[in-house]
């Protein structure tokens, strides 16, 4: 059973001569409970797919299906309760004047929860932040802590699908691993479906069971995680990506 | 909430006492967090000597206005034609008397009430209208933006004092109408400012994030955009207050603001104009009062900008 399905999705920005086609005829499915990666270089349209799904990119055609529901132009609150997104840059995704408590309790209120006080603490515990962080403002938090707050915010409505837009690329290498492990744990605990965007094949290989490789707005190849590990790639662009990723691997150098 | 604040933070904090409670990195309740934020802002503000000077002058102004009947040595309206145009430091009249023998010091003290009245009303009306128009235009965009901003442009196209003059002439002279006229002419710059701020905020990830939680435009504008616009507006208002006082004084000077015999500072300057060569103090003393209060607002605004401007905040 597929949780998310994209059929012939096109997304563009601007009209007439200024029109830029960011995503061209993308078709793929994410099974329920799976973790699916979208990989590609900057500007390949991978984040745009997430934004189109969330209703942040208004110009699109094709078909997007969440569960049983075909999406139209508008998203209702029920959709946002089911699908949530974690943004790339935790320095930009938290309101500078809102404390952690304000951020989380507002979201809980919007979704009509009543036991807000208990839930805020539970959410913080979920993402590995103690109650001492509850009344801090973003400028009193490190990048990794901010991203944990952003993850807690996305988890607040108890969604079943989480879209991750390069959730670790703005973070230190040491913190990246922590956040990725947290995301892996949360997926197990809450039975979440992930659709994850990254330019880093190592991150995708660590997190996802299958991935789509994108170039210039088109999906050029679908890979399973076994294919990735065995460096089996049909498309030259994918081979190029895999090779450049393994170039950073110290073990690969020893073998050579 | 209450149970949270009962595990006493003061015992955990190495810097014991109330100050430690105010400076902690780990506030334990919403109220506590707000106190900490306010206190750190106050510390930043306090380190700015000039801004503190401005604040002290304005506090003095408020106190003087509040206790005017006890501070003023004479009735501001009592005339004494035998003792007219006495120079400063003459007996019983520290700043001298005007052409009708009224004590200038008493008139300045009572005039502070009128000045505060004008400043408060304008500060309540103009930025609020500007904030509403600017944020709605900036967030809605499209046709709403175009209509509201062209309206703003129309108001901006006239010189402020001339437009205020036209309004007062249409509405009738008097202090309330002067306030209204100044407010009507003062809101467009705030609308501009608020719109510019909104345009930079509306596409940020944190606004997208709250939209993705299903928040409507009303909530986004009032809860998420206003808090970020208000600080720069407050700074702008305090910096503009000098201008408001001067415009009010200007209207008073032209005879369209406060009406005689009310001791409005601008009107007092206008009255002293007739004697400015022989009896300089009649116009100079209220002029000095206008100057000092305008300066105080400017200093305060400068200090507030350091504390409040979100661009500097971490």
């Amino acid at each position: 059973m597929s949780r998310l399905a994209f059929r012939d999705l096109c997304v563009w920005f601007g009209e007439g001569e200024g029109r830029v086609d960011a995503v061209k005829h993308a078709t793929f499915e994410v099974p329920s409970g799976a973790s699916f990666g979208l990989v590609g270089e900057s500007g390949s349209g991978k984040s745009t797919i997430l934004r189109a799904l969330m209703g942040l990119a208004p110009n699109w055609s094709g078909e997007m299906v969440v569960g049983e529901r075909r999406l139209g132009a508008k998203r209702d609150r029920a959709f946002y309760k089911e699908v949530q997104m974690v943004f790339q840059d935790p320095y930009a995704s938290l309101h500078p004047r809102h404390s952690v408590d304000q951020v989380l309790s507002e979201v809980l209120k919007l979704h009509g929860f009543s036991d807000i006080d208990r839930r805020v603490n539970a959410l913080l515990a979920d993402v590995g932040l103690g109650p001492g962080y509850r009344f801090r403002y973003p400028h009193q938090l490190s990048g990794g802590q901010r991203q944990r707050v952003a993850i807690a915010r996305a988890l607040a409505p108890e969604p079943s699908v989480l879209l991750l837009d390069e959730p670790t690329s703005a973070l230190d290498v040491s913190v990246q691993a922590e956040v990725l492990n947290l995301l892996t744990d949360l997926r197990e605990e809450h039975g979440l479906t992930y659709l994850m965007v990254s330019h880093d094949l190592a991150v995708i290989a660590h997190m996802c069971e299958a991935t789509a490789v994108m170039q210039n707005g088109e999906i050029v190849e679908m890979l399973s995680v076994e294919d990735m590990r065995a460096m089996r790639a049909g498309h030259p662009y994918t081979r190029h990506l895999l090779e450049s990723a393994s170039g950073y691997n110290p073990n690969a150098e020893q073998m050579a | 909430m209450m149970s949270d604040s009962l595990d006493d933070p003061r015992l955990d904090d190495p810097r014991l006492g109330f100050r430690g409670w105010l400076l902690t990195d780990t506030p334990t309740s919403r109220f506590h967090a707000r106190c900490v934020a306010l206190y750190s802002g106050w510390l930043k503000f306090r380190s700015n000597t000039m801004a503190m000077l401005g604040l002290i002058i304005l506090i003095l102004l408020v106190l003087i206005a509040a206790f005017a009947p006890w501070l003023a040595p004479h009735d501001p309206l009592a005339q004494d034609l035998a003792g007219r145009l006495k120079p400063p430091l003459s007996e019983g009249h520290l700043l001298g008397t005007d052409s009708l023998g009224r004590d200038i010091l008493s008139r300045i003290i009572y005039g502070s009430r009128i000045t505060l009245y004008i400043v408060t009303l304008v500060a309540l009306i103009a930025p609020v209208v500007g904030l509403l128009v600017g944020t709605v235009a900036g967030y809605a965009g499209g046709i709403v933006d175009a209509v509201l901003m062209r309206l703003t442009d129309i108001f901006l196209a006239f010189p402020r004092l001339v437009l205020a003059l036209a309004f007062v002439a249409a509405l009738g002279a008097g202090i309330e109408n002067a306030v209204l006229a100044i407010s009507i002419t003062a809101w467009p710059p705030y609308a501009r400012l608020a719109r510019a701020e909104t345009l930079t905020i509306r596409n940020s990830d944190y606004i997208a994030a709250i939209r993705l939680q299903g928040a409507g435009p009303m909530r986004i504008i009032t809860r998420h955009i206003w808090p970020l616009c208000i600080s720069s507006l407050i700074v702008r208002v305090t910096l503009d207050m000098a201008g408001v006082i001067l415009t009010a004084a200007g209207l008073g000077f032209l005879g369209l603001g406060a009406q005689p015999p009310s001791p409005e500072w601008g009107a007092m300057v206008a009255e002293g104009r007739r004697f400015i060569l022989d009896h300089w103090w009649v116009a100079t003393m209220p002029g000095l009062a206008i100057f000092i209060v305008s300066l105080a607002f400017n200093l305060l605004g400068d200090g507030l900008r350091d504390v409040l401007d979100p661009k500097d905040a971490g």
Side-chain angles (χ1 to χ4, degrees), chain A residues 18-205:
Chain A
R19 173 167 160 152
V20 178
D21 291 288
V23 179
K24 300 167 203 158
H25 309 288
T27 301
F28 63 96
E29 287 186 3
V30 183
S32 191
S35 177
F36 190 90
L38 283 171
V39 71
E41 60 195 11
S42 299
S44 61
K46 50 199 193 319
S47 294
T48 307
I49 292 184
L50 300 194
R51 297 184 81 84
L53 180 67
M54 292 312 278
L56 294 173
N59 299 324
W60 58 275
S61 65
E63 206 177 77
M64 293 193 276
V65 182
V66 176
E68 303 290 302
R69 202 163 16 152
R70 253 192 102 201
L71 295 180
K74 293 240 168 176
R75 308 280 182 280
D76 55 8
R77 206 165 274 180
F79 169 82
Y80 291 129
K81 203 163 158 38
E82 204 176 339
V83 185
Q84 274 298 322
M85 176 162 163
V86 176
F87 289 84
Q88 177 176 4
D89 183 0
Y91 291 90
S93 70
L94 294 177
H95 195 289
R97 290 288 163 91
H98 287 182
S99 66
V100 175
D101 175 66
Q102 276 171 291
V103 169
L104 296 181
S105 44
E106 178 170 25
V107 170
L108 289 169
K109 244 175 256 165
L110 274 170
H111 289 282
F113 291 109
S114 53
D115 50 344
I116 286 167
D117 208 43
R118 187 188 65 75
R119 276 176 186 273
V120 169
N121 283 329
L123 281 170
L124 286 177
D126 263 358
V127 295
L129 291 175
Y133 291 94
R134 179 166 169 185
F135 297 100
R136 290 202 189 187
Y137 288 88
H139 67 262
Q140 296 168 312
L141 300 173
S142 71
Q145 289 165 343
R146 287 178 190 226
Q147 195 61 305
R148 283 165 190 266
V149 174
I151 293 170
R153 173 177 59 193
L155 287 177
E158 301 184 334
S160 56
V161 179
L162 212 54
L163 309 184
L164 305 164
D165 185 4
E166 308 217 27
T168 57
S169 67
L171 303 175
D172 275 333
V173 180
S174 56
V175 184
Q176 280 188 8
E178 275 177 35
V179 171
L180 290 177
N181 289 335
L182 171 71
L183 287 168
T184 313
D185 294 345
L186 287 171
R187 190 177 142 218
E188 265 170 40
E189 278 168 40
H190 298 265
L192 297 165
T193 304
Y194 281 174
L195 175 54
M196 180 167 188
V197 157
S198 182
H199 61 263
D200 188 344
L201 268 177
V203 169
I204 294 284

Side-chain angles (χ1 to χ4, degrees), chain B residues 289-313:
Chain B
I290 295 172
F291 163 73
I292 291 171
V293 174
S294 306
L295 184 69
F297 269 113
N298 263 333
L299 294 176
L300 177 75
D302 234 27
L304 280 180
R305 177 165 54 202
D306 294 342
V307 178
L308 291 176
D309 202 327
K311 284 168 203 88
D312 300 335

Side-chain angles (χ1 to χ4, degrees), chain B residues 26 68 80 95-96 104 117 136 161 178 190 206 231 244 250 275 290 298 308:
Chain B
T26 50
D80 172 17
L95 298 181
I104 291 179
Y117 173 77
V136 168
L161 190 60
Y190 301 122
Y206 51 84
S231 44
V244 168
F275 321 101
I290 295 172
N298 263 333
L308 291 176

Side-chain angles (χ1 to χ4, degrees), chain B:
Chain B
M1 291 311 308
M2 285 315 290
S3 63
D4 275 356
S5 40
L6 282 180
D7 358 304
D8 194 348
R10 272 166 276 192
L11 298 178
D12 305 333
D13 206 286
R15 292 160 301 187
L16 287 171
F18 188 57
R19 205 178 134 79
W21 186 78
L22 279 174
L23 285 171
T24 177
D25 268 345
T26 50
T28 48
S29 69
R30 266 163 232 185
F31 172 73
H32 188 180
R34 201 151 294 160
C35 288
V36 171
L38 279 178
Y39 189 65
S40 67
W42 166 246
L43 285 183
K44 209 162 151 195
F45 183 81
R46 208 176 58 180
S47 63
N48 186 337
T49 319
M50 293 312 279
M52 279 303 284
L53 184 69
L55 183 68
I56 289 168
I57 293 175
L58 291 176
I59 290 175
L60 277 179
L61 178 75
V62 171
L63 290 178
I64 287 173
F67 297 108
W70 292 275
L71 288 172
H74 298 273
D75 182 343
L77 304 179
Q79 300 181 8
D80 172 17
L81 289 175
R84 67 195 288 262
L85 295 173
K86 275 192 188 161
L89 299 178
S90 55
E91 206 189 335
H93 302 286
L94 194 61
L95 298 181
T97 59
D98 68 4
S99 59
L100 295 171
R102 296 173 296 196
D103 182 50
I104 291 179
L105 177 63
S106 307
R107 286 178 68 74
I108 289 178
I109 288 174
Y110 273 92
S112 64
R113 291 184 160 187
I114 299 174
T115 302
L116 269 182
Y117 173 77
I118 294 170
V119 162
T120 314
L121 276 184
V122 172
L124 283 180
I125 300 171
V128 173
V129 175
L131 185 67
L132 260 174
V133 171
T135 49
V136 168
Y139 188 73
I143 184 95
V144 180
D145 184 28
V147 169
L148 288 175
M149 280 304 115
R150 291 303 77 76
L151 192 72
T152 312
D153 284 346
I154 292 172
F155 277 93
L156 276 173
F158 290 97
R160 194 154 145 192
L161 190 60
V162 173
L163 192 60
L165 271 179
F167 276 112
V168 176
L171 297 167
I175 193 97
E176 290 82 10
N177 289 340
V179 167
L180 205 60
I182 294 171
S183 304
I184 287 170
T185 55
W187 67 265
Y190 301 122
R192 275 277 144 128
L193 185 70
R195 176 174 174 268
E197 294 261 338
T198 309
L199 288 181
T200 61
I201 297 166
R202 65 177 280 199
N203 291 325
S204 65
D205 279 354
Y206 51 84
I207 297 297
I210 194 68
R211 273 174 64 195
L212 298 191
Q213 300 288 357
M218 273 292 286
R219 170 180 287 268
I220 292 175
I221 289 177
T222 55
R223 299 278 185 88
H224 295 258
I225 292 181
W226 279 7
L228 291 174
C229 292
I230 281 175
S231 44
S232 57
L233 273 188
I234 290 177
V235 171
R236 183 71 197 264
V237 168
T238 42
L239 289 174
D240 280 356
M241 270 311 135
V244 168
I245 294 173
L246 293 176
T247 311
L251 286 175
F253 180 84
L254 293 168
L256 294 168
Q259 294 302 299
S262 100
E264 202 269 326
W265 293 349
M268 287 167 72
V269 176
E271 212 180 273
R273 183 189 41 162
R274 285 182 286 152
F275 321 101
I276 197 153
L277 294 179
D278 307 322
H279 312 284
W280 54 269
W281 59 89
V282 182
T284 307
M285 294 308 170
L288 271 178
I290 295 172
F291 163 73
I292 291 171
V293 174
S294 306
L295 184 69
F297 269 113
N298 263 333
L299 294 176
L300 177 75
D302 234 27
L304 280 180
R305 177 165 54 202
D306 294 342
V307 178
L308 291 176
D309 202 327
K311 284 168 203 88
D312 300 335

